Amino acid sequence: MDTSSPSAFVNGALLRRYIGQKVRTVIQVIGSDTGSVVGKSTDDLQIVVRGPSTTPPLTTYLEVIGIAESDNSIRAETWTNFGNTFDPQNYNELCKLASGEFKHLFI
Amino acid sequence: MYGGEFDGNAAFAGGGFMPSQSTTQGNDSSSSLKNRDVRTLLPLTLKQLSSATTNGESNFSVDGVDINTVAIVGRISRMENRITQVDFVVDDGTGWVDCVRWCQERQETEEMEAVRLGMYVRLHGHVKSFQGKRSVNVFSIRPVTDFNEIVHHFTECMYVHMYNTKVQGGSVAQGGSTTQATATPRPQMPYSTMPTSAKPYQTGPSNQFSNQINDPMHGVKQTVMNYLNQPMHLVSEAGVHCDIIARDLRIPPLQVRQAIEQLSSDGCVYSTVDDTCFKSTLNA
């Protein structure tokens, strides 16, 4: 059991706090290109995800886990399709709580 | 909620993750929650699990609650199938943990076959410790299909943590008080009364827990309930006249009436011979 490399739950606004660190977020996919996906964070900010060169078919929502490169881009290590019926507002609130009042349960 | 019992099974269908507390005031708060007969199902993040305190004998506790069974939601990051058992690693973003699933029955093997590397899963299991390393012995696992479940699990972890820590805080603050008609409100256990352990009375999932902060009558209602829940009033058929309640508790009759009206609509008291005499519904 190990908790030495957690990934913080972030939305667009929280991403800047974890630059260089491992983060996870869910974005709504707007467009994709070879090797990168552009999406909208759960708090309506734009995020660019740089990932593997072959992008598999993407659903509306995509979870990305990777290293935060800047305040609006992530270098993805893993991504998971979160389907089309995901609730971004709930996730947004979770991010705020997990980085705030309940940070000790997560990081 | 009388007597401080909160039955998780009644409140959360299929959940049952809340520990039930066997006694109320005047008791050491930590002992009231370490009832070994209580089976708990705690949703936890792996960070919480790794910081669980242990008394050295494979008995873990988090926020003062004994861990019995845990619920974890995370991704499978490693998996090795060894026929009679499957060893895998689950990562939920806050940490990772070694898990093992014994597959002796066909149903167990089938359950594991539905789970693949890289999938998000929900699992239930017991926490084990061997040579200082913690792992989970999984007895139930299934893939996550609706990803809102992940958000829900973490939200639940935060809620349960908050509930358990607030209960602890409240009990510790109260501990030692033995007077019956105590008026000190305890937000975590609304209307909890008897210092002697009353027959545990489980009510429905009322959200009294969250309502107290907004309820200006809470203190008065609590005092009136404490008064009516005294043994002599519980056994009396006729109940107590509200003016007598007001006189004994030294609360203005109008306030007592108001409190009783609210308590009556909540189902905590009822009128007896006429609409001036009331009895508590506890043990009714």
Side-chain angles (χ1 to χ4, degrees):
Chain A
M1 145 146 264
D2 188 72
T3 53
S4 58
S5 73
S7 43
F9 281 90
V10 299
N11 56 16
L14 292 166
L15 186 56
R16 71 200 58 215
R17 279 204 230 166
Y18 297 95
I19 296 182
Q21 296 175 58
K22 197 154 147 205
V23 295
R24 57 170 54 201
T25 188
V26 173
I27 55 172
Q28 188 179 340
V29 177
I30 299 176
S32 72
D33 210 344
T34 41
S36 75
V37 172
V38 175
K40 189 171 71 154
S41 70
T42 51
D43 52 350
D44 289 337
L45 295 175
Q46 185 164 296
I47 293 193
V48 176
V49 175
R50 272 176 256 287
S53 48
T54 46
T55 30
L58 301 172
T59 56
T60 310
Y61 293 97
L62 179 72
E63 187 200 40
V64 174
I65 305 175
I67 307 291
E69 287 184 325
S70 72
D71 61 359
N72 66 355
S73 72
I74 299 177
R75 191 176 70 244
E77 292 167 359
T78 320
W79 55 31
T80 312
N81 277 323
F82 263 27
N84 304 321
T85 56
F86 186 74
D87 185 340
Q89 280 158 329
N90 270 342
Y91 189 85
N92 203 41
E93 294 304 318
L94 171 65
C95 292
K96 293 197 264 184
L97 290 168
S99 297
E101 198 182 336
F102 295 96
K103 197 169 176 173
H104 56 289
L105 302 184
F106 293 87
I107 305 196
Chain B
M1 293 286 184
Y2 305 104
E5 268 303 315
F6 185 88
D7 182 40
N9 282 318
F12 295 86
F17 56 74
M18 300 297 199
S20 56
Q21 290 138 40
S22 47
T23 52
T24 61
Q25 304 161 294
N27 258 307
D28 175 33
S29 62
S30 58
S31 68
S32 70
L33 288 173
K34 280 189 165 71
N35 185 341
R36 294 270 183 260
D37 295 330
V38 169
R39 299 262 162 209
T40 58
L41 172 62
L42 281 176
L44 293 179
T45 67
L46 291 172
K47 173 84 203 286
Q48 281 178 292
L49 186 57
S50 82
S51 44
T53 51
T54 170
N55 65 2
E57 299 167 355
S58 224
N59 288 323
F60 301 94
S61 68
V62 164
D63 302 332
V65 176
D66 270 354
I67 293 182
N68 222 245
T69 310
V70 295
I72 308 269
V73 171
R75 273 182 78 245
I76 303 220
S77 55
R78 265 205 324 267
M79 194 154 156
E80 277 175 49
N81 195 329
R82 295 181 211 275
I83 316 293
T84 50
Q85 74 186 67
V86 181
D87 293 327
F88 53 101
V89 173
V90 170
D91 181 333
D92 74 346
T94 69
W96 57 262
V97 69
D98 290 308
C99 300
V100 67
R101 172 70 157 109
W102 297 92
C103 299
Q104 262 128 26
E105 312 275 321
R106 196 171 48 150
Q107 184 239 341
E108 293 166 348
T109 317
E110 283 173 2
E111 200 179 69
M112 278 317 292
E113 275 166 15
V115 167
R116 304 267 154 73
L117 182 65
M119 263 186 171
Y120 271 97
V121 293
R122 165 181 282 273
L123 60 87
H124 300 117
H126 299 297
V127 184
K128 293 279 173 266
S129 179
F130 180 65
Q131 294 176 342
K133 273 183 29 168
R134 292 180 190 181
S135 63
V136 177
N137 216 342
V138 175
F139 59 76
S140 159
I141 183 167
R142 61 167 170 75
V144 165
T145 46
D146 182 342
F147 294 92
N148 290 304
E149 181 165 10
I150 298 171
V151 178
H152 172 262
H153 171 77
F154 287 112
T155 312
E156 206 178 26
C157 292
M158 294 191 281
Y159 176 74
V160 172
H161 166 74
M162 210 171 82
Y163 180 90
N164 287 335
T165 47
K166 281 218 168 134
V167 164
Q168 291 286 299
S171 303
V172 166
Q174 264 298 305
S177 152
T178 50
T179 43
Q180 283 200 333
T182 175
T184 323
R186 280 196 292 164
Q188 306 81 8
M189 291 196 269
Y191 308 133
S192 65
T193 59
M194 311 292 284
T196 53
S197 91
K199 188 169 77 175
Y201 183 78
Q202 279 127 32
T203 60
S206 62
N207 49 2
Q208 291 160 345
F209 171 66
S210 52
N211 274 346
Q212 312 203 7
I213 309 149
N214 298 324
D215 181 8
M217 287 296 296
H218 178 77
V220 178
K221 290 201 287 195
Q222 183 118 19
T223 312
V224 171
M225 279 316 299
N226 286 344
Y227 178 86
L228 287 176
N229 282 336
Q230 291 172 74
M232 60 179 167
H233 294 136
L234 283 179
V235 300
S236 116
E237 289 265 327
V240 187
H241 195 284
C242 56
D243 287 345
I244 298 183
I245 302 178
R247 182 200 71 200
D248 281 354
L249 295 178
R250 285 187 266 277
I251 297 178
L254 192 58
Q255 272 202 347
V256 168
R257 273 227 161 251
Q258 242 189 326
I260 290 204
E261 262 168 41
Q262 289 184 26
L263 287 169
S264 172
S265 63
D266 283 346
C268 302
V269 301
Y270 64 97
S271 58
T272 52
V273 284
D274 58 19
D275 61 7
T276 56
C277 293
F278 295 90
K279 251 188 86 147
S280 161
T281 51
L282 182 67
N283 298 333

